[in-house]
Amino acid sequence: MKESWRWYGPLDRISLGEIAQTGASGIVTALHEIPYGEVWPRQAIAERKAAIAAAGFDWVVVESLPIHERIKRGEGDLTDLFANYRQSMANLAAEGIHTICYNFMPLLDWTRTDLAAPVGRGGTCLRFSAPKMAALELFLVGRDQARDDYPSEVVAAAERWFQASSDDDRGLLMRSVMAGLPGAYERYDATGLKAALKLYDGMDRAALRGHYKRFLDEIMPAAEDLGMRFCVHPDDPPRDILGLPRIVSDADDIGWILNAADSPANGLTLCAGSLGANPKNDVPAIARRFAGKIRFAHLRNVRKEADGSFEEAAHLDGDTDMVDLVAALLQEEARRREAGEDDWDIPFRPDHGHELLDDAARNTHPGYPLVGRLRGLAELRGVIAGLSYAGRHQAGQAQGSDAGIGVVVA
């Protein structure tokens, strides 16, 4: 597996020189400064790639080439937007960059209500509080229909939180929810968010799927011609919020997407944290079911609560069996190698991370601290090394060899 690191380019407070010290060899990034819907110029791509190469890295995944909201809404004449998207793809391919992670979440990207929730032994983490999200929907945005979207006990807790909250608390909640839009220029206050939601009036799951199918029809043929690999990122959180449908939340959704465009270019970003926040998802089982379509992996963990809340756990803690998940990815890599596939090496990155030690002083993008992700990468590196050793040892035993005798990682 190819160790990678998300870097926000000139916007990032962590330098490529510091990332080099983590041991990662791949960079995952995008041209975040370019507004959605505009063409990524080849020259700008080449300059970013050159800066990455000069620091000793490969640009292994684009995360992401954003999809304009009008495409998600199916609004108006989309000819120019699709043409711009395909041109950006062609410019990336011309510079030797062929893997694109993207999402199809309407309006908001990943969503959290708390960006600095305390962790038991020190540090902070990202958290999604169902009562706080319900409070935002009901009392800040004024979406009364949200009463039907949450259990009654969550609505009651939302009312209690709102009554006890100050204007500063409410402003912080809104800013936290908006923080998951790293490349967008728009940040909404409550009035702006309510207005933006009106553009999605009447949008249901079937309609959003229809718009997604059109995107795949427009983009996948070009992706095939360019030798590109697209990998959709699951919804985060994997549930409807603000009355907006989410359609990449479980195994059934993933199956629909991969069947909607039967193309080698149509693949999956296996995000353990996003999928893991859905109580019905068995993440290692999903990885094994769709193994042949996984082009990129986000490895992180979450700890769920009965009311629908969850928070980021340490990478080897939480509800997902990370060792089993990594084993599934290594098994798929072995299959690809044996089959002679060129792209057998699955890039992964330690996704999110606790703010530890002096991370808070850096004021990095929420969820993307240096020390916390370095801890996660080190833990994952150990799991990969242990499983790889165990595999070699077992293979040696099967061949009657005494090579590799030692401690076997179960």
PDB file of all heavy atoms in Angstrom, residues 7 16-17 20 24-29 44-60 95-97:
ATOM      1  N   TRP A   7      -2.405  17.202   1.358  1.00  0.00           N
ATOM      2  CA  TRP A   7      -1.750  18.510   1.453  1.00  0.00           C
ATOM      3  C   TRP A   7      -2.612  19.520   0.713  1.00  0.00           C
ATOM      4  O   TRP A   7      -3.061  19.277  -0.405  1.00  0.00           O
ATOM      5  CB  TRP A   7      -0.352  18.426   0.828  1.00  0.00           C
ATOM      6  CG  TRP A   7       0.432  19.694   0.845  1.00  0.00           C
ATOM      7  CD1 TRP A   7       0.773  20.427   1.936  1.00  0.00           C
ATOM      8  CD2 TRP A   7       0.993  20.375  -0.288  1.00  0.00           C
ATOM      9  NE1 TRP A   7       1.513  21.528   1.566  1.00  0.00           N
ATOM     10  CE2 TRP A   7       1.668  21.513   0.196  1.00  0.00           C
ATOM     11  CE3 TRP A   7       1.008  20.128  -1.658  1.00  0.00           C
ATOM     12  CZ2 TRP A   7       2.328  22.413  -0.636  1.00  0.00           C
ATOM     13  CZ3 TRP A   7       1.659  21.012  -2.491  1.00  0.00           C
ATOM     14  CH2 TRP A   7       2.314  22.141  -1.987  1.00  0.00           C
ATOM     15  N   LEU A  16       5.651  20.825   2.752  1.00  0.00           N
ATOM     16  CA  LEU A  16       6.081  19.559   2.153  1.00  0.00           C
ATOM     17  C   LEU A  16       7.325  19.025   2.866  1.00  0.00           C
ATOM     18  O   LEU A  16       7.492  17.801   2.994  1.00  0.00           O
ATOM     19  CB  LEU A  16       6.360  19.758   0.666  1.00  0.00           C
ATOM     20  CG  LEU A  16       5.124  19.941  -0.219  1.00  0.00           C
ATOM     21  CD1 LEU A  16       5.541  20.356  -1.633  1.00  0.00           C
ATOM     22  CD2 LEU A  16       4.285  18.672  -0.269  1.00  0.00           C
ATOM     23  N   GLY A  17       8.189  19.908   3.328  1.00  0.00           N
ATOM     24  CA  GLY A  17       9.357  19.460   4.061  1.00  0.00           C
ATOM     25  C   GLY A  17       8.986  18.745   5.349  1.00  0.00           C
ATOM     26  O   GLY A  17       9.606  17.741   5.721  1.00  0.00           O
ATOM     27  N   ALA A  20       7.574  15.337   4.492  1.00  0.00           N
ATOM     28  CA  ALA A  20       8.625  14.382   4.147  1.00  0.00           C
ATOM     29  C   ALA A  20       9.092  13.611   5.379  1.00  0.00           C
ATOM     30  O   ALA A  20       9.453  12.434   5.296  1.00  0.00           O
ATOM     31  CB  ALA A  20       9.789  15.105   3.485  1.00  0.00           C
ATOM     32  N   ALA A  24       5.814   9.395   4.431  1.00  0.00           N
ATOM     33  CA  ALA A  24       4.895   9.191   3.304  1.00  0.00           C
ATOM     34  C   ALA A  24       5.612   9.511   1.994  1.00  0.00           C
ATOM     35  O   ALA A  24       6.517  10.353   1.952  1.00  0.00           O
ATOM     36  CB  ALA A  24       3.663  10.076   3.456  1.00  0.00           C
ATOM     37  N   SER A  25       5.194   8.839   0.920  1.00  0.00           N
ATOM     38  CA  SER A  25       5.838   9.061  -0.382  1.00  0.00           C
ATOM     39  C   SER A  25       4.902   9.685  -1.408  1.00  0.00           C
ATOM     40  O   SER A  25       5.359  10.182  -2.432  1.00  0.00           O
ATOM     41  CB  SER A  25       6.362   7.734  -0.939  1.00  0.00           C
ATOM     42  OG  SER A  25       5.309   6.799  -1.094  1.00  0.00           O
ATOM     43  N   GLY A  26       3.609   9.667  -1.142  1.00  0.00           N
ATOM     44  CA  GLY A  26       2.644  10.216  -2.085  1.00  0.00           C
ATOM     45  C   GLY A  26       1.923  11.426  -1.518  1.00  0.00           C
ATOM     46  O   GLY A  26       1.704  11.521  -0.300  1.00  0.00           O
ATOM     47  N   ILE A  27       1.558  12.347  -2.382  1.00  0.00           N
ATOM     48  CA  ILE A  27       0.775  13.520  -1.987  1.00  0.00           C
ATOM     49  C   ILE A  27      -0.601  13.436  -2.641  1.00  0.00           C
ATOM     50  O   ILE A  27      -0.744  13.100  -3.821  1.00  0.00           O
ATOM     51  CB  ILE A  27       1.478  14.827  -2.403  1.00  0.00           C
ATOM     52  CG1 ILE A  27       2.715  15.058  -1.541  1.00  0.00           C
ATOM     53  CG2 ILE A  27       0.533  16.021  -2.316  1.00  0.00           C
ATOM     54  CD1 ILE A  27       2.437  15.328  -0.070  1.00  0.00           C
ATOM     55  N   VAL A  28      -1.602  13.744  -1.835  1.00  0.00           N
ATOM     56  CA  VAL A  28      -2.991  13.835  -2.282  1.00  0.00           C
ATOM     57  C   VAL A  28      -3.382  15.302  -2.170  1.00  0.00           C
ATOM     58  O   VAL A  28      -3.338  15.870  -1.076  1.00  0.00           O
ATOM     59  CB  VAL A  28      -3.903  12.959  -1.401  1.00  0.00           C
ATOM     60  CG1 VAL A  28      -5.356  13.147  -1.789  1.00  0.00           C
ATOM     61  CG2 VAL A  28      -3.485  11.492  -1.481  1.00  0.00           C
ATOM     62  N   THR A  29      -3.736  15.936  -3.288  1.00  0.00           N
ATOM     63  CA  THR A  29      -4.020  17.362  -3.227  1.00  0.00           C
ATOM     64  C   THR A  29      -4.896  17.777  -4.400  1.00  0.00           C
ATOM     65  O   THR A  29      -5.307  16.948  -5.219  1.00  0.00           O
ATOM     66  CB  THR A  29      -2.708  18.176  -3.207  1.00  0.00           C
ATOM     67  OG1 THR A  29      -2.999  19.534  -2.860  1.00  0.00           O
ATOM     68  CG2 THR A  29      -1.991  18.130  -4.545  1.00  0.00           C
ATOM     69  N   ALA A  44      -0.959  25.367 -14.429  1.00  0.00           N
ATOM     70  CA  ALA A  44      -1.099  25.370 -12.967  1.00  0.00           C
ATOM     71  C   ALA A  44      -0.903  23.965 -12.404  1.00  0.00           C
ATOM     72  O   ALA A  44      -0.289  23.784 -11.345  1.00  0.00           O
ATOM     73  CB  ALA A  44      -2.473  25.912 -12.582  1.00  0.00           C
ATOM     74  N   ILE A  45      -1.420  22.971 -13.113  1.00  0.00           N
ATOM     75  CA  ILE A  45      -1.233  21.578 -12.687  1.00  0.00           C
ATOM     76  C   ILE A  45       0.253  21.223 -12.723  1.00  0.00           C
ATOM     77  O   ILE A  45       0.797  20.628 -11.782  1.00  0.00           O
ATOM     78  CB  ILE A  45      -2.041  20.636 -13.592  1.00  0.00           C
ATOM     79  CG1 ILE A  45      -3.543  20.895 -13.432  1.00  0.00           C
ATOM     80  CG2 ILE A  45      -1.710  19.172 -13.289  1.00  0.00           C
ATOM     81  CD1 ILE A  45      -4.400  20.237 -14.505  1.00  0.00           C
ATOM     82  N   ALA A  46       0.923  21.604 -13.814  1.00  0.00           N
ATOM     83  CA  ALA A  46       2.348  21.296 -13.961  1.00  0.00           C
ATOM     84  C   ALA A  46       3.173  21.955 -12.864  1.00  0.00           C
ATOM     85  O   ALA A  46       4.114  21.350 -12.321  1.00  0.00           O
ATOM     86  CB  ALA A  46       2.832  21.736 -15.341  1.00  0.00           C
ATOM     87  N   GLU A  47       2.837  23.186 -12.521  1.00  0.00           N
ATOM     88  CA  GLU A  47       3.592  23.883 -11.481  1.00  0.00           C
ATOM     89  C   GLU A  47       3.395  23.216 -10.127  1.00  0.00           C
ATOM     90  O   GLU A  47       4.356  23.056  -9.356  1.00  0.00           O
ATOM     91  CB  GLU A  47       3.159  25.350 -11.428  1.00  0.00           C
ATOM     92  CG  GLU A  47       3.615  26.162 -12.641  1.00  0.00           C
ATOM     93  CD  GLU A  47       3.034  27.553 -12.669  1.00  0.00           C
ATOM     94  OE1 GLU A  47       2.228  27.886 -11.751  1.00  0.00           O
ATOM     95  OE2 GLU A  47       3.371  28.321 -13.599  1.00  0.00           O
ATOM     96  N   ARG A  48       2.169  22.819  -9.814  1.00  0.00           N
ATOM     97  CA  ARG A  48       1.922  22.140  -8.543  1.00  0.00           C
ATOM     98  C   ARG A  48       2.631  20.788  -8.504  1.00  0.00           C
ATOM     99  O   ARG A  48       3.228  20.411  -7.494  1.00  0.00           O
ATOM    100  CB  ARG A  48       0.418  21.968  -8.340  1.00  0.00           C
ATOM    101  CG  ARG A  48       0.009  21.429  -6.965  1.00  0.00           C
ATOM    102  CD  ARG A  48       0.370  22.364  -5.820  1.00  0.00           C
ATOM    103  NE  ARG A  48      -0.072  23.720  -6.064  1.00  0.00           N
ATOM    104  CZ  ARG A  48      -1.305  24.172  -5.793  1.00  0.00           C
ATOM    105  NH1 ARG A  48      -2.213  23.352  -5.286  1.00  0.00           N
ATOM    106  NH2 ARG A  48      -1.631  25.428  -6.016  1.00  0.00           N
ATOM    107  N   LYS A  49       2.569  20.064  -9.616  1.00  0.00           N
ATOM    108  CA  LYS A  49       3.238  18.766  -9.686  1.00  0.00           C
ATOM    109  C   LYS A  49       4.747  18.935  -9.513  1.00  0.00           C
ATOM    110  O   LYS A  49       5.402  18.129  -8.820  1.00  0.00           O
ATOM    111  CB  LYS A  49       2.924  18.077 -11.008  1.00  0.00           C
ATOM    112  CG  LYS A  49       3.553  16.699 -11.144  1.00  0.00           C
ATOM    113  CD  LYS A  49       3.269  16.076 -12.492  1.00  0.00           C
ATOM    114  CE  LYS A  49       3.968  14.724 -12.626  1.00  0.00           C
ATOM    115  NZ  LYS A  49       3.751  14.114 -13.967  1.00  0.00           N
ATOM    116  N   ALA A  50       5.319  19.955 -10.126  1.00  0.00           N
ATOM    117  CA  ALA A  50       6.760  20.184 -10.024  1.00  0.00           C
ATOM    118  C   ALA A  50       7.169  20.500  -8.592  1.00  0.00           C
ATOM    119  O   ALA A  50       8.222  20.039  -8.112  1.00  0.00           O
ATOM    120  CB  ALA A  50       7.174  21.317 -10.962  1.00  0.00           C
ATOM    121  N   ALA A  51       6.358  21.287  -7.893  1.00  0.00           N
ATOM    122  CA  ALA A  51       6.664  21.604  -6.494  1.00  0.00           C
ATOM    123  C   ALA A  51       6.630  20.349  -5.639  1.00  0.00           C
ATOM    124  O   ALA A  51       7.469  20.159  -4.747  1.00  0.00           O
ATOM    125  CB  ALA A  51       5.673  22.640  -5.967  1.00  0.00           C
ATOM    126  N   ILE A  52       5.662  19.489  -5.918  1.00  0.00           N
ATOM    127  CA  ILE A  52       5.545  18.232  -5.176  1.00  0.00           C
ATOM    128  C   ILE A  52       6.743  17.330  -5.476  1.00  0.00           C
ATOM    129  O   ILE A  52       7.347  16.741  -4.564  1.00  0.00           O
ATOM    130  CB  ILE A  52       4.218  17.542  -5.541  1.00  0.00           C
ATOM    131  CG1 ILE A  52       3.038  18.350  -4.969  1.00  0.00           C
ATOM    132  CG2 ILE A  52       4.182  16.101  -5.046  1.00  0.00           C
ATOM    133  CD1 ILE A  52       1.687  17.925  -5.510  1.00  0.00           C
ATOM    134  N   ALA A  53       7.108  17.230  -6.747  1.00  0.00           N
ATOM    135  CA  ALA A  53       8.246  16.386  -7.132  1.00  0.00           C
ATOM    136  C   ALA A  53       9.551  16.913  -6.548  1.00  0.00           C
ATOM    137  O   ALA A  53      10.428  16.133  -6.130  1.00  0.00           O
ATOM    138  CB  ALA A  53       8.338  16.299  -8.649  1.00  0.00           C
ATOM    139  N   ALA A  54       9.722  18.232  -6.511  1.00  0.00           N
ATOM    140  CA  ALA A  54      10.953  18.818  -5.978  1.00  0.00           C
ATOM    141  C   ALA A  54      11.148  18.482  -4.504  1.00  0.00           C
ATOM    142  O   ALA A  54      12.282  18.459  -4.012  1.00  0.00           O
ATOM    143  CB  ALA A  54      10.926  20.331  -6.174  1.00  0.00           C
ATOM    144  N   ALA A  55      10.047  18.221  -3.805  1.00  0.00           N
ATOM    145  CA  ALA A  55      10.122  17.853  -2.391  1.00  0.00           C
ATOM    146  C   ALA A  55      10.266  16.341  -2.205  1.00  0.00           C
ATOM    147  O   ALA A  55      10.300  15.867  -1.064  1.00  0.00           O
ATOM    148  CB  ALA A  55       8.878  18.348  -1.659  1.00  0.00           C
ATOM    149  N   GLY A  56      10.324  15.602  -3.322  1.00  0.00           N
ATOM    150  CA  GLY A  56      10.559  14.163  -3.236  1.00  0.00           C
ATOM    151  C   GLY A  56       9.319  13.307  -3.221  1.00  0.00           C
ATOM    152  O   GLY A  56       9.382  12.126  -2.841  1.00  0.00           O
ATOM    153  N   PHE A  57       8.173  13.854  -3.674  1.00  0.00           N
ATOM    154  CA  PHE A  57       6.910  13.121  -3.648  1.00  0.00           C
ATOM    155  C   PHE A  57       6.365  12.896  -5.052  1.00  0.00           C
ATOM    156  O   PHE A  57       6.744  13.585  -6.005  1.00  0.00           O
ATOM    157  CB  PHE A  57       5.849  13.908  -2.870  1.00  0.00           C
ATOM    158  CG  PHE A  57       6.146  14.114  -1.419  1.00  0.00           C
ATOM    159  CD1 PHE A  57       6.693  15.303  -0.962  1.00  0.00           C
ATOM    160  CD2 PHE A  57       5.866  13.119  -0.496  1.00  0.00           C
ATOM    161  CE1 PHE A  57       6.954  15.511   0.382  1.00  0.00           C
ATOM    162  CE2 PHE A  57       6.125  13.311   0.855  1.00  0.00           C
ATOM    163  CZ  PHE A  57       6.673  14.505   1.288  1.00  0.00           C
ATOM    164  N   ASP A  58       5.429  11.971  -5.142  1.00  0.00           N
ATOM    165  CA  ASP A  58       4.577  11.821  -6.312  1.00  0.00           C
ATOM    166  C   ASP A  58       3.197  12.379  -5.978  1.00  0.00           C
ATOM    167  O   ASP A  58       2.704  12.198  -4.853  1.00  0.00           O
ATOM    168  CB  ASP A  58       4.418  10.339  -6.693  1.00  0.00           C
ATOM    169  CG  ASP A  58       5.725   9.701  -7.096  1.00  0.00           C
ATOM    170  OD1 ASP A  58       6.528  10.378  -7.758  1.00  0.00           O
ATOM    171  OD2 ASP A  58       5.942   8.526  -6.743  1.00  0.00           O
ATOM    172  N   TRP A  59       2.573  13.046  -6.940  1.00  0.00           N
ATOM    173  CA  TRP A  59       1.167  13.457  -6.792  1.00  0.00           C
ATOM    174  C   TRP A  59       0.335  12.253  -7.225  1.00  0.00           C
ATOM    175  O   TRP A  59       0.163  12.006  -8.404  1.00  0.00           O
ATOM    176  CB  TRP A  59       0.896  14.679  -7.652  1.00  0.00           C
ATOM    177  CG  TRP A  59      -0.482  15.272  -7.505  1.00  0.00           C
ATOM    178  CD1 TRP A  59      -1.526  14.779  -6.801  1.00  0.00           C
ATOM    179  CD2 TRP A  59      -0.944  16.496  -8.095  1.00  0.00           C
ATOM    180  NE1 TRP A  59      -2.620  15.600  -6.899  1.00  0.00           N
ATOM    181  CE2 TRP A  59      -2.287  16.669  -7.693  1.00  0.00           C
ATOM    182  CE3 TRP A  59      -0.353  17.456  -8.931  1.00  0.00           C
ATOM    183  CZ2 TRP A  59      -3.048  17.758  -8.109  1.00  0.00           C
ATOM    184  CZ3 TRP A  59      -1.120  18.544  -9.338  1.00  0.00           C
ATOM    185  CH2 TRP A  59      -2.444  18.699  -8.929  1.00  0.00           C
ATOM    186  N   VAL A  60      -0.191  11.507  -6.256  1.00  0.00           N
ATOM    187  CA  VAL A  60      -0.795  10.210  -6.566  1.00  0.00           C
ATOM    188  C   VAL A  60      -2.304  10.266  -6.766  1.00  0.00           C
ATOM    189  O   VAL A  60      -2.869   9.439  -7.494  1.00  0.00           O
ATOM    190  CB  VAL A  60      -0.452   9.165  -5.490  1.00  0.00           C
ATOM    191  CG1 VAL A  60       1.033   8.832  -5.522  1.00  0.00           C
ATOM    192  CG2 VAL A  60      -0.865   9.620  -4.094  1.00  0.00           C
ATOM    193  N   GLU A  95      -0.488  15.623 -17.627  1.00  0.00           N
ATOM    194  CA  GLU A  95       0.615  15.759 -16.671  1.00  0.00           C
ATOM    195  C   GLU A  95       0.870  14.464 -15.903  1.00  0.00           C
ATOM    196  O   GLU A  95       1.610  14.452 -14.912  1.00  0.00           O
ATOM    197  CB  GLU A  95       0.324  16.898 -15.691  1.00  0.00           C
ATOM    198  CG  GLU A  95       0.341  18.274 -16.340  1.00  0.00           C
ATOM    199  CD  GLU A  95       1.691  18.608 -16.970  1.00  0.00           C
ATOM    200  OE1 GLU A  95       2.729  18.227 -16.383  1.00  0.00           O
ATOM    201  OE2 GLU A  95       1.707  19.246 -18.049  1.00  0.00           O
ATOM    202  N   GLY A  96       0.234  13.379 -16.350  1.00  0.00           N
ATOM    203  CA  GLY A  96       0.497  12.071 -15.754  1.00  0.00           C
ATOM    204  C   GLY A  96      -0.233  11.794 -14.458  1.00  0.00           C
ATOM    205  O   GLY A  96       0.156  10.904 -13.691  1.00  0.00           O
ATOM    206  N   ILE A  97      -1.321  12.514 -14.201  1.00  0.00           N
ATOM    207  CA  ILE A  97      -2.107  12.327 -12.970  1.00  0.00           C
ATOM    208  C   ILE A  97      -3.443  11.698 -13.368  1.00  0.00           C
ATOM    209  O   ILE A  97      -4.218  12.301 -14.115  1.00  0.00           O
ATOM    210  CB  ILE A  97      -2.314  13.665 -12.241  1.00  0.00           C
ATOM    211  CG1 ILE A  97      -0.956  14.299 -11.948  1.00  0.00           C
ATOM    212  CG2 ILE A  97      -3.103  13.468 -10.952  1.00  0.00           C
ATOM    213  CD1 ILE A  97      -1.031  15.753 -11.571  1.00  0.00           C
TER     214      ILE A  97
END
